[in-house]
Amino acid sequence: MGKYFGTSGIRGKVGEFLTPELALRAGRALGEYLGGGRVAVGRDTRVHGDAIASAVIAGLLSQGCEVVDVGVVCTPTLGCYVSEEGLDAGVMVTASHNPPEYNGIKFWNSDGMAFTPDQEREIEEIMDGEPEYPDWREFKGVTREEGAPEVHVERILREVEADGEGLRVVVDCANGPSSLVTPTVLREMGCEVITINAHLDGHFPGRHPEPRPEHLRELMRTVRSVDADLGIAHDGDADRVVFVTEEGEFAGYDEVLALVCRRILEEKGAGKVAVNVDASMVVDEVVRELGGEVVRTKVGDVYVAEAIKREGCVFGGEPNGTWIHPDAHMCPDGPLSAAWMVSLLAEEGRPLSELLEEVPRYPTLRENVECPDELKPKVMECVERRVRENYDEIDTVDGVRVELEDGWALIRPSGTEPVVRVTVEAESEERARELRDEFVSLVEECLRGVRG
Ligand code: MG
């Protein structure tokens, strides 16, 4: 975590942490980092989007950048637009799934990939430095572009060809910009589309912008009442997607991820897929069965994107529904992922609940151990040492992940709360409880040791 950038760009309550002044400095720093060039700026539906985006734009212009203002768009629309139109970078003003009083700023590279933590550190240094301005002749202007959602829709339709004829789909857009893309894509694919929360409104009157099962009751009810084949829900900026089965049940995050990995590997022959350390072992099973390989990454879509590039993966994703399809662009794309799921259903010709039954499901348990932030590094050092004494297969890409014959455990300090999280998954409920108890005790012992 940097001074301004957190786990997903600059993010905070507007008027407190995130002010137009900070946005101006961020925009100026990006302009200086790029040394000019063409930059697209988009925003989600939040009421302060214009205030923050205007400040970012002023900062970019002050460094001689040319700005393309794409208005209210999905984060993946911005990423796709930057990559398709050959711009030098993109800026998205969004707070994703956070409540309406939040907003944020996230930077994107020319291929649609999020700025890496290293790039963000550089931006922070420039933000804190003394500004320099170009000669007056080098200032450029802003072009408004309303066609970015169309560019995105077309890109998705080039990527996903299957016919959705005969499928009835309900899409819950969370009053966010996904309403500009997903319903159009699905109709173009031949689906019958019913939308809810599909008008743009930064107050999020329909539901909370985080697509958790408890926020999706209306979607579940609607799927049942109109007898739909699938329910689709996005978060506030549509880099994520989650699904509801034809029975109106929330489709498990990991099972869905495994299904999609399976389909992509079937299509590509074989290859590597990138998933974070928190993803279920069902992904490993499905991928291994098809001769593929799983690359584990830190939690966060930018790490998945980095791994895709480094390892040449054919796909990458996190269980929360941020999936990256590198053939299209490097930004997690909820509408594209929704289209993928529809094409999967269309080609399989079977309901989602039935497909999910083919994916094994294992009990997962999570527990938090309270731990002050300043003790976390020492506690994790101790955990790693102790785990190495007892186990052979250990991955320390993010926290400590222990691979076992019949499951795994992940011990990872939270980036936002004073807790160390213990996650375990095993083939049986009993074994999962055993593992949880073992690793929770280990963290507690280490904490006692560190405290002395
Ligand atoms: Mg998001």
Side-chain angles (χ1 to χ4, degrees), residues 156 160 182 185-186 189 232 334-344:
I156 295 173
V160 184
T182 305
V185 165
L186 300 181
M189 288 173 76
I232 294 171
L336 170 55
S337 301
W340 256 102
M341 181 56 82
V342 165
S343 83
L344 189 153

Side-chain angles (χ1 to χ4, degrees), residues 90-130:
V91 181
M92 186 66 195
V93 173
T94 176
S96 185
H97 55 273
N98 287 141
E101 61 272 29
Y102 284 77
N103 214 328
I105 301 168
K106 201 165 167 177
F107 294 158
W108 302 86
N109 286 291
S110 55
D111 59 355
M113 178 171 148
F115 265 37
T116 62
D118 285 344
Q119 288 180 297
E120 290 177 342
R121 290 306 84 79
E122 280 188 61
I123 295 288
E124 287 188 338
E125 272 178 36
I126 304 173
M127 283 172 75
D128 283 342
E130 202 50 48

Side-chain angles (χ1 to χ4, degrees), residues 20-236:
E21 284 83 353
L22 187 69
L24 179 81
R25 279 163 67 204
R28 174 180 62 73
L30 177 62
E32 193 178 322
Y33 175 87
L34 296 169
R38 291 176 73 215
V39 182
V41 178
R43 57 187 167 79
D44 68 15
T45 53
R46 289 160 199 275
V47 295
H48 23 56
D50 274 337
I52 302 299
S54 304
V56 170
I57 289 171
L60 285 164
L61 294 171
S62 80
Q63 294 301 309
C65 289
E66 185 185 333
V67 172
V68 183
D69 178 358
V70 294
V72 172
V73 292
C74 306
T75 293
T77 299
L78 190 269
C80 177
Y81 184 82
V82 167
S83 134
E84 290 290 296
E85 302 294 312
L87 299 192
D88 296 298
V91 181
M92 186 66 195
V93 173
T94 176
S96 185
H97 55 273
N98 287 141
E101 61 272 29
Y102 284 77
N103 214 328
I105 301 168
K106 201 165 167 177
F107 294 158
W108 302 86
N109 286 291
S110 55
D111 59 355
M113 178 171 148
F115 265 37
T116 62
D118 285 344
Q119 288 180 297
E120 290 177 342
R121 290 306 84 79
E122 280 188 61
I123 295 288
E124 287 188 338
E125 272 178 36
I126 304 173
M127 283 172 75
D128 283 342
E130 202 50 48
E132 277 178 41
Y133 299 102
D135 181 79
W136 67 272
R137 293 173 194 85
E138 286 170 39
F139 281 81
K140 297 190 175 65
V142 184
T143 329
R144 298 199 204 282
E145 170 58 61
E146 285 176 3
E150 248 172 76
V151 171
H152 190 197
V153 167
E154 276 165 26
R155 185 66 192 87
I156 295 173
L157 293 172
R158 281 212 308 281
E159 195 62 27
V160 184
E161 282 167 6
D163 189 355
E165 199 78 48
L167 288 175
R168 182 178 293 163
V169 183
V170 184
V171 186
D172 181 341
C173 300
N175 300 114
S178 55
S179 59
L180 304 172
V181 178
T182 305
T184 313
V185 165
L186 300 181
R187 284 188 187 115
E188 289 284 330
M189 288 173 76
C191 298
E192 181 190 340
V193 179
I194 294 149
T195 57
I196 53 179
N197 303 319
H199 64 285
L200 303 175
D201 190 334
H203 297 89
F204 302 118
R207 67 161 165 91
H208 191 288
E210 179 158 26
R212 299 168 63 87
E214 60 268 34
H215 301 147
L216 301 177
R217 302 269 173 247
E218 190 191 1
L219 175 62
M220 295 175 188
R221 262 199 313 273
T222 310
V223 165
R224 275 192 292 261
S225 66
V226 305
D227 200 16
D229 299 290
L230 179 69
I232 294 171
H234 293 293
D235 69 332

Side-chain angles (χ1 to χ4, degrees), residues 94-402:
T94 176
S96 185
H97 55 273
N98 287 141
E101 61 272 29
Y102 284 77
N103 214 328
I105 301 168
K106 201 165 167 177
F107 294 158
W108 302 86
N109 286 291
S110 55
D111 59 355
M113 178 171 148
F115 265 37
T116 62
D118 285 344
Q119 288 180 297
E120 290 177 342
R121 290 306 84 79
E122 280 188 61
I123 295 288
E124 287 188 338
E125 272 178 36
I126 304 173
M127 283 172 75
D128 283 342
E130 202 50 48
E132 277 178 41
Y133 299 102
D135 181 79
W136 67 272
R137 293 173 194 85
E138 286 170 39
F139 281 81
K140 297 190 175 65
V142 184
T143 329
R144 298 199 204 282
E145 170 58 61
E146 285 176 3
E150 248 172 76
V151 171
H152 190 197
V153 167
E154 276 165 26
R155 185 66 192 87
I156 295 173
L157 293 172
R158 281 212 308 281
E159 195 62 27
V160 184
E161 282 167 6
D163 189 355
E165 199 78 48
L167 288 175
R168 182 178 293 163
V169 183
V170 184
V171 186
D172 181 341
C173 300
N175 300 114
S178 55
S179 59
L180 304 172
V181 178
T182 305
T184 313
V185 165
L186 300 181
R187 284 188 187 115
E188 289 284 330
M189 288 173 76
C191 298
E192 181 190 340
V193 179
I194 294 149
T195 57
I196 53 179
N197 303 319
H199 64 285
L200 303 175
D201 190 334
H203 297 89
F204 302 118
R207 67 161 165 91
H208 191 288
E210 179 158 26
R212 299 168 63 87
E214 60 268 34
H215 301 147
L216 301 177
R217 302 269 173 247
E218 190 191 1
L219 175 62
M220 295 175 188
R221 262 199 313 273
T222 310
V223 165
R224 275 192 292 261
S225 66
V226 305
D227 200 16
D229 299 290
L230 179 69
I232 294 171
H234 293 293
D235 69 332
D237 65 328
D239 57 351
R240 287 171 63 184
V241 67
V242 300
F243 300 98
V244 166
T245 71
E246 81 289 353
E247 289 171 338
E249 305 287 340
F250 187 81
Y253 297 106
D254 286 290
E255 290 80 25
V256 168
L257 182 59
L259 259 191
V260 170
C261 287
R262 186 176 78 180
R263 177 173 154 78
I264 284 172
L265 286 181
E266 278 168 357
E267 201 160 273
K268 304 266 179 197
K272 295 180 183 178
V273 302
V275 298
N276 71 26
V277 288
D278 202 34
S280 162
M281 61 190 186
V282 302
V283 175
D284 300 84
E285 276 184 31
V286 164
V287 169
R288 237 176 288 148
E289 225 167 80
L290 290 165
E293 193 186 317
V294 173
V295 178
R296 292 275 176 180
T297 76
K298 280 190 188 195
V299 176
D301 58 79
V302 66
Y303 300 111
V304 173
E306 274 187 315
I308 289 174
K309 276 197 179 170
R310 193 180 60 239
E311 308 276 342
C313 300
V314 293
F315 173 75
E318 297 192 280
N320 69 359
T322 43
W323 303 347
I324 298 171
H325 307 262
D327 286 352
H329 54 79
M330 291 302 292
C331 176
D333 192 329
L336 170 55
S337 301
W340 256 102
M341 181 56 82
V342 165
S343 83
L344 189 153
L345 288 187
E347 281 178 13
E348 292 277 348
R350 288 183 296 151
L352 179 57
S353 66
E354 203 179 305
L355 295 171
L356 288 171
E357 269 168 32
E358 294 172 3
V359 179
R361 191 169 309 186
Y362 298 116
T364 302
L365 297 175
R366 295 172 200 275
E367 195 158 318
N368 292 339
V369 180
E370 277 181 42
C371 174
D373 288 335
E374 64 276 15
L375 299 182
K376 281 175 183 172
K378 282 249 157 68
V379 169
M380 289 308 297
E381 242 172 63
C382 162
V383 166
E384 186 178 338
R385 194 177 57 244
R386 295 274 304 271
V387 165
R388 283 195 191 282
E389 283 166 14
N390 295 309
Y391 296 99
D392 301 325
E393 250 196 272
I394 293 152
D395 189 340
T396 54
V397 67
D398 193 0
V400 176
R401 195 177 196 277
V402 190

